[in-house]
Amino acid sequence: MNSSPLALLSEHACFNGRQRFYQHGSSEIGLPMKFSVFLPSQASTGPVPALLYLAGLTCNEETFMAKAGAQRLAAELGLALIAPDTSPRGAKVPGESESWDFGVGAGFYLDATQAPWAQHYRMESWITAELLPLLTGALPIDAERIGIFGHSMGGHGALTLALRHPDLFKSVSAFAPICAPSQCPWGRKAFTGYLGADESDWLAHDASALMQQSASAPYPAGILIDQGLADKFLPDQLHPDLFEAACAAVGQPLSLRQHAGYDHGYYFIATFMADHLRHHVRQLTQAGT
């Protein structure tokens, strides 16, 4: 499939800006892909900085825009928000809908190398090489001021894509990210299926391993992570302590904030959303000077 122009599916007035939902034919994925964009009113007078949000397992391009409560402050700050879907849809790969944590809704933001997933499950290339260039070319979004954040599987995606593409993403943060997927059940299942049994191939998509391989701090202005201590996935799946240790080893400034009583869901995310938006605005403002 050749890449096709943006098709606007719906548009809604939102805090004096526009909440839009789009679809396009992706050449990287080989299928139509959906995503959402919030454009603040400031975009009517020129390009604005943008935050790319990567959602977690079972989510789609609507989840963040409907649940996170980010548009009000983004409108005040003049930030565009972009939320892609979490996997290809309609690939018809055998078994892709059998598990909630693998296949549909669980693309893990990487390019699969193993059959039958490699043909369509190319989320990293879709986002970095196709979607963002498409949006910065078609919409008033500043290609030099893009940050990335995400939640859970999307937090994994935010950290790994930021570390793999530091020239593209000028700031990074995460909510309850999967910090060491090579060492947790979710990650090991996904990596085995998408990347194969050779665990050495997994390290290129493991945030803690990528940080350990850094020669110096890749984000000297700091990385922000928020983690709820009542998160049922914290003990076995998330391992923020491993990412914290990797950051310390290379001198990467990290603010790892742990919050008693908060779980893994969007009430937690909405509670601390403003801090994340301001974290990014500070760094994206510096990137634009």
Side-chain angles (χ1 to χ4, degrees):
M1 173 183 291
N2 293 324
S3 182
S4 63
L6 302 180
L8 182 63
L9 302 178
S10 66
E11 182 176 35
H12 315 272
C14 184
F15 297 107
N16 294 319
R18 311 302 295 178
Q19 177 64 60
R20 296 174 176 175
F21 293 89
Y22 288 100
Q23 179 174 286
H24 85 118
S26 168
S27 59
E28 288 288 352
I29 300 290
L31 295 164
M33 292 296 292
K34 292 181 178 180
F35 54 93
S36 56
V37 178
F38 170 74
L39 286 175
S41 61
Q42 293 89 332
S44 64
T45 59
V48 296
L51 290 183
L52 176 72
Y53 178 87
L54 304 182
L57 293 164
T58 76
C59 296
N60 60 28
E61 74 284 353
E62 298 184 26
T63 310
F64 169 77
M65 297 301 185
K67 291 185 174 183
Q71 292 97 328
R72 181 192 295 270
L73 183 55
E76 295 177 16
L77 297 173
L79 275 174
L81 303 171
I82 304 164
D85 201 353
T86 54
S87 77
R89 309 273 172 172
K92 299 181 180 178
V93 177
E96 70 174 0
S97 299
E98 292 180 358
S99 301
W100 68 277
D101 56 355
F102 184 76
V104 172
F108 272 81
Y109 305 104
L110 51 76
D111 290 354
T113 60
Q114 302 299 298
W117 309 97
Q119 180 180 358
H120 296 296
Y121 278 70
R122 296 179 49 79
M123 292 296 290
E124 178 175 6
S125 288
W126 173 54
I127 290 169
T128 62
E130 187 174 16
L131 179 62
L132 289 178
L134 178 65
L135 293 183
T136 56
L139 299 177
I141 291 173
D142 187 346
E144 299 302 316
R145 292 187 293 161
I146 298 177
I148 187 169
F149 67 151
H151 168 234
S152 192
M153 175 187 73
H156 144 76
L159 294 175
T160 56
L161 293 187
L163 292 172
R164 288 169 59 82
H165 303 274
D167 292 337
L168 178 58
F169 300 110
K170 302 303 192 294
S171 58
V172 58
S173 71
F175 298 92
I178 304 172
C179 288
S182 297
Q183 301 184 54
C184 76
W186 279 342
R188 294 185 65 83
K189 178 178 180 177
F191 286 179
T192 300
Y194 294 137
L195 302 176
D198 186 347
E199 297 187 15
S200 64
D201 293 335
W202 301 358
L203 301 182
H205 302 280
D206 182 306
S208 295
L210 285 168
M211 186 61 75
Q212 288 175 340
Q213 296 165 9
S214 299
S216 60
Y219 287 88
I223 296 172
L224 172 63
I225 292 177
D226 278 304
Q227 175 63 60
L229 292 177
D231 187 330
K232 66 181 181 180
F233 301 115
L234 176 58
D236 298 325
Q237 302 283 12
L238 305 181
H239 300 309
D241 55 311
L242 297 181
F243 187 71
E244 183 179 35
C247 287
V250 300
Q252 168 61 54
L254 171 69
S255 178
L256 173 59
R257 309 192 306 182
Q258 303 183 73
H259 307 280
Y262 286 90
D263 61 20
H264 197 69
Y266 270 82
Y267 298 114
F268 155 66
I269 292 170
T271 300
F272 300 103
M273 178 57 61
D275 293 343
H276 284 249
L277 297 189
R278 291 192 172 99
H279 163 85
H280 287 277
V281 163
R282 286 192 295 270
Q283 297 187 28
L284 296 179
T285 300
Q286 294 171 358
T289 58

